[in-house]
Amino acid sequence: MSTISLRKDKVKIVLTKKKLTGVRAKVGLVLDISGSMRHLYKIGEVQEAVERIAAVASQFDDDGALDIWVYDNEFSRLSEVTEYNLLGYVERNILNNDEVHKFGRNDEPQVMADVIKKYTVEEPSDVPVFLIFINDGGCKAGIKKFIVESSTKPIFWQFVGIGDSNFDVLRKLDTMEGRYIDNANFFHFEDIETVSDEQLYENLLDEFPSWLQEAKEKGILSQ
């Protein structure tokens, strides 16, 4: 079996365990491409992460597509990832793409604004959005404004910290006040390359089920 097929099977196991079988959702991925991420792009770890998360999109999204953004102090909304263009996507669409600003400082709020714009203004839908946001530390406190504003929208933010930098802002997500519902979660792996697919999927999908339930109860999503 191909790697993507094996990973799809692993996602199915976790979906069954968390009673998410049959749930339809759009899946988006935001990738940090600030200077401190250079090594992970070079050694192929970011490509590996895209491949692992594409397996989640294949189970949630009707066409199996993964929406993708990259950001440093600028951001780019890129062409979607599918099983057909997955191989070599990062090299081709990010590293060899001169239109993508790379390896500057990080500025999360502007890319978050674009994510919200895409899913609530350009493509409004009752279908929930599962947005995975990978960052290697130093996240700006300005993200709070966008998390609070989107707490009435069908968007769940799953932040993933990698490396050994400062994640103080993200660690405070669970106690963030002012939200209509709790619409964000954070976990941290110092060495994501050593984490099994099963463990990654367990963590990624940890709080999404409870958010779905509350979003339906509060009228953000239809029943």
Side-chain angles (χ1 to χ4, degrees), residues 54-194:
V56 178
S58 74
Q59 300 305 298
F60 274 145
D61 195 285
D62 283 335
D63 60 7
L66 174 64
D67 297 328
I68 191 161
W69 288 259
V70 293
Y71 80 96
D72 55 2
N73 49 294
E74 299 182 16
F75 73 88
S76 297
R77 191 195 298 187
L78 302 177
S79 57
E80 63 187 17
V81 175
T82 69
E83 290 185 44
Y84 305 103
N85 68 359
L86 181 57
L87 191 64
Y89 181 93
V90 169
E91 187 78 22
R92 182 176 60 253
N93 293 69
I94 300 176
L95 295 179
N96 291 340
N97 184 349
D98 291 338
E99 294 182 3
V100 172
H101 198 271
K102 308 173 187 71
F103 311 127
R105 64 187 186 279
N106 58 302
D107 185 359
E108 292 78 20
Q110 59 177 341
V111 70
M112 292 178 73
D114 194 63
V115 168
I116 295 169
K117 177 183 175 183
K118 175 179 172 67
Y119 293 123
T120 65
V121 178
E122 297 174 11
E123 302 172 13
S125 170
D126 288 335
V127 176
V129 176
F130 182 52
L131 197 290
I132 300 163
F133 199 115
I134 296 180
N135 165 271
D136 75 339
C139 202
K140 289 196 171 181
I143 68 169
K144 177 179 179 179
K145 172 179 183 289
F146 297 95
I147 293 174
V148 170
E149 285 182 0
S150 63
S151 66
T152 60
K153 309 297 183 185
I155 302 173
F156 181 77
W157 303 87
Q158 177 58 67
F159 289 88
V160 182
I162 56 176
D164 58 0
S165 295
N166 181 338
F167 295 101
D168 287 354
V169 171
L170 294 174
R171 292 188 194 283
K172 296 174 182 176
L173 285 178
D174 281 341
T175 57
M176 184 180 292
E177 298 179 348
R179 290 177 291 173
Y180 186 57
I181 64 171
D182 182 349
N183 60 337
N185 186 39
F186 168 71
F187 64 86
H188 170 228
F189 290 131
E190 189 161 326
D191 297 306
I192 194 170
E193 64 270 22
T194 67

